[in-house]
Amino acid sequence: MEKPLLHTEHISKSYDGRTIIEDINIHLNKGELVSLLGLSGSGKTTLFQVISGLVRPDSGAVFLSDENVTEKPGKISYMLQKDLLLPHKKVIDNAALPLVIRGMSKKEARHKADPYFSEFGLNGTQYQYPAQLSGGMRQRAALLRTYLGSEGVALLDEPFSALDMITKGQMHTWYLEVMNRIDLSTLFITHDIDEALTLSDRIYIMTGTPGRIDHELKIETPRNARKDYSLTEEFLEYKRQIMKTLKQ
Amino acid sequence: MKEKSANITDRLPAAVSLLLIILLWWALSASNAIPNYMLPSPAAVVRAFIDDFSNLMYHARTSVLEALYGLLIGIGLAFFIATLMDRFLLIERALNPILIISQTIPTIAIAPLLVLWMGFGMAPKITLVVITTFFPISVGLLEGYKSVDPDCINLLRSMGAGRVQLFHHVKLPAALPHFFSGLRISASYAVVGAVISEWLGGFEGLGVYMTRVKKAYAFDRMFAVIILIVIISLLLMALVDLIRKLVIRWR
């Protein structure tokens, strides 16, 4: 079997004596988009904080390729529903911020970020301020920042849930396209079953308190062949399965 | 173009009310309801302002310098203390009540003490300006530091940012708008603070000059000094606004 790009081994974490997540083993292969699907309160966000290196797990470890990156921020970048673009920085400086934080000069970082603007549909916005951008564009700028800060892996925590339905659909199509082109692997948090089924190669379903991985689902139809996927029998069958698991 | 005309309609009410007050003042002094030496006419005040111009400027220079030095030291002190308070919870808890108490001390009451301790030079005046101006600035800064979204701090930490980088990229820029609102208030306090402390002893400055013309019952000159203080305060506030616009360009 191919060695996963990212994997976790037996991660558990509790706060104030309450166990939030328990014995989490997940992996992400190169080029994959894997979703973590769960109801609110199932510990998805805690798991993300552990994977991104912000929070130390009580036990277990996170590996990026073969490197143990537990509690080592700066290796895996994430993005939230809020774009968190800094209002005082121009869009290009926001996107290039992870590079500057790693010690690159502002000029060099801009130079490195600039070519991606057309790829991310942001051409011409380089020297604008975030306040001048639309919601979808801000999300794309945040994604570009995530990409530039990552070493091939992005963690996305419900990144599109604040967008309206149409924009969300457009972002999905666009994201899958761009992910292929720039060779990015994605771990995706969501509570939206349809979104998970539209985007993922595999889905981990998290349930219970403390949160555990209850189920792993592999989607048969490949990602790039899912036009009108939500109208197919296969989609509905997966959805029924997921609902059943979540309701237990 | 449109913005400009909107500006004029915005300011018109203020201009009218100011004009009405001056007219009322004029009518009162012209009617002799109040003796002229107590309430000089606006014309007399303008004349006193012109006749006394070189004197006024000489004393204004001292007061403005005191106000500016005091403001600068106040800003430096506020940055130092607010940053420490933001960084260390213990320091914040220890200093917060003292900061508030320092604001309840009447400046008029400590001004003579400062003169006794520091003499008749600029030092006690600058100190008083520092005491009155540093509070609004530090409160503004602290509020600004705290206004940063914790998720934003986490995001930068996940990129590997340390404390200094967090301060530079997030905290300080977030605090700047709050800093400037505090500074604007402080700028208006600064000149008044300098003048008040000059009342209580000194060789030059608008406050010293005020006590002098008061003793001579030269009410027209007294009014001229007051108007000059108002003008200087307004100019100082305008200067703050200008710097703010140059620094904060992202809005």
Side-chain angles (χ1 to χ4, degrees):
Chain A
M1 208 181 94
E2 195 194 348
K3 227 175 158 65
L5 185 59
L6 172 85
H7 73 283
T8 67
E9 285 178 2
H10 309 292
I11 288 180
S12 299
K13 175 74 192 169
S14 53
Y15 284 112
D16 306 320
R18 242 187 82 224
T19 311
I20 309 289
I21 48 175
E22 195 170 61
D23 196 31
I24 306 282
N25 298 291
I26 58 174
H27 67 276
L28 174 71
N29 295 317
K30 199 164 163 31
E32 257 191 327
L33 192 152
V34 173
S35 286
L36 207 61
L37 183 69
L39 304 174
S40 21
S42 57
K44 294 173 296 198
T45 301
T46 305
L47 179 58
F48 255 43
Q49 287 178 336
V50 171
I51 295 176
S52 62
L54 284 177
V55 167
R56 189 167 62 131
D58 299 336
S59 60
V62 184
F63 294 90
L64 184 63
S65 300
D66 282 324
E67 191 192 353
N68 187 336
V69 292
T70 316
E71 226 193 333
K72 272 189 207 151
K75 299 277 180 186
I76 300 166
S77 53
Y78 69 86
M79 174 182 160
L80 305 181
Q81 179 183 329
K82 290 182 271 189
D83 57 69
L84 296 176
L85 296 171
L86 301 174
H88 59 275
K89 284 190 192 289
K90 300 198 169 85
V91 176
I92 193 166
D93 294 323
N94 264 293
L97 184 60
L99 305 174
V100 172
I101 291 206
R102 280 185 203 155
M104 210 181 262
S105 76
K106 186 169 162 179
K107 201 180 151 203
E108 212 181 326
R110 279 182 173 184
H111 191 71
K112 181 137 191 254
D114 192 62
Y116 291 100
F117 271 73
S118 57
E119 184 77 68
F120 279 71
L122 290 166
N123 227 345
T125 65
Q126 280 93 327
Y127 294 95
Q128 292 184 325
Y129 287 105
Q132 295 166 272
L133 266 52
S134 70
M137 283 173 118
R138 291 170 61 106
Q139 251 3 50
R140 285 205 294 268
L143 265 168
L144 175 54
R145 178 187 61 199
T146 311
Y147 171 65
L148 289 170
S150 75
E151 291 175 18
V153 187
L155 304 184
L156 307 185
D157 187 351
E158 306 196 348
F160 307 129
S161 52
L163 300 173
D164 63 80
M165 201 184 72
I166 302 289
T167 313
K168 193 170 175 174
Q170 288 168 347
M171 290 292 280
H172 287 161
T173 318
W174 170 79
Y175 186 73
L176 292 177
E177 258 176 50
V178 87
M179 211 184 116
N180 285 336
R181 277 203 303 263
I182 60 180
D183 197 21
L184 188 68
S185 316
T186 309
L187 191 58
F188 197 93
I189 280 194
T190 183
H191 56 233
D192 180 340
I193 300 174
D194 292 15
E195 183 171 54
L197 284 171
T198 313
L199 295 177
S200 320
D201 297 300
R202 281 184 297 123
I203 300 175
Y204 289 110
I205 301 165
M206 262 182 107
T207 53
T209 3
R212 292 160 169 278
I213 302 294
D214 189 288
H215 204 77
E216 186 189 334
L217 198 67
K218 193 166 169 21
I219 311 291
E220 289 303 328
T221 310
R223 237 170 32 208
N224 52 17
R226 292 198 198 145
K227 200 172 183 309
D228 295 325
Y229 186 53
S230 60
L231 304 174
T232 61
E233 193 51 45
E234 182 186 306
F235 183 93
L236 287 173
E237 181 48 42
Y238 283 135
K239 192 164 176 175
R240 263 195 290 274
Q241 254 185 57
I242 294 171
M243 303 262 284
K244 211 176 116 203
T245 314
L246 286 175
K247 271 183 195 152
Q248 277 167 4
Chain B
M1 209 51 213
K2 203 174 176 189
E3 210 169 74
K4 205 170 178 185
S5 59
N7 240 336
I8 290 171
T9 37
D10 282 352
R11 285 175 186 176
L12 196 62
V16 169
S17 59
L18 192 66
L19 206 68
L20 279 177
I21 289 173
I22 294 173
L23 275 176
L24 185 71
W25 171 14
W26 203 306
L28 268 177
S29 63
S31 70
N32 283 329
I34 301 166
N36 245 334
Y37 67 90
M38 283 177 82
L39 185 69
S41 75
V45 173
V46 171
R47 212 176 307 121
F49 195 95
I50 294 167
D51 291 347
D52 224 10
F53 192 72
S54 61
N55 243 334
L56 284 172
M57 286 304 117
Y58 170 76
H59 289 286
R61 189 177 164 273
T62 307
S63 301
V64 167
L65 277 181
E66 288 162 358
L68 284 181
Y69 286 147
L71 258 183
L72 286 178
I73 296 172
I75 291 171
L77 197 66
F79 257 100
F80 182 69
I81 289 187
T83 309
L84 269 185
M85 283 171 76
D86 180 61
R87 170 67 184 82
F88 301 103
L89 187 64
L90 187 72
I91 295 190
E92 188 187 348
R93 286 190 181 145
L95 288 188
N96 226 341
I98 295 176
L99 269 185
I100 291 164
I101 290 169
S102 81
Q103 285 317 291
T104 62
I105 300 171
T107 36
I108 288 259
I110 51 164
L113 282 175
L114 292 173
V115 171
L116 285 175
W117 290 333
M118 300 177 176
F120 289 94
M122 271 192 174
K125 285 91 177 175
I126 293 172
T127 308
L128 196 85
V129 175
V130 171
I131 291 173
T132 48
T133 59
F134 124 96
F135 183 74
I137 303 174
S138 49
V139 167
L141 274 173
L142 202 58
E143 210 175 285
Y145 289 152
K146 306 257 180 235
S147 73
V148 177
D149 186 339
D151 280 333
C152 197
I153 291 180
N154 272 339
L155 182 76
L156 264 86
R157 280 182 52 220
S158 85
M159 296 177 189
R163 278 186 195 288
V164 176
Q165 284 175 319
L166 267 177
F167 185 77
H168 168 215
H169 290 294
V170 184
K171 288 223 165 192
L172 186 61
L176 279 178
H178 301 258
F179 163 75
F180 278 108
S181 357
L183 184 60
R184 197 169 193 275
I185 299 171
S186 290
S188 64
Y189 288 178
V191 183
V192 177
V195 168
I196 288 179
S197 58
E198 284 163 357
W199 285 348
L200 298 150
F203 305 113
E204 49 194 27
L206 288 174
V208 175
Y209 188 61
M210 257 177 130
T211 47
R212 234 178 258 165
V213 291
K214 190 187 78 183
K215 277 179 196 147
Y217 291 96
F219 279 43
D220 51 349
R221 289 186 183 187
M222 186 93 172
F223 273 86
V225 179
I226 292 171
I227 286 169
L228 184 58
I229 292 170
V230 170
I231 291 171
I232 292 172
S233 295
L234 287 177
L235 283 178
L236 211 53
M237 283 163 83
L239 181 68
V240 172
D241 285 343
L242 180 71
I243 297 173
R244 190 194 58 202
K245 272 191 194 131
L246 289 176
V247 173
I248 301 178
R249 275 179 297 190
W250 60 86
R251 293 207 164 164

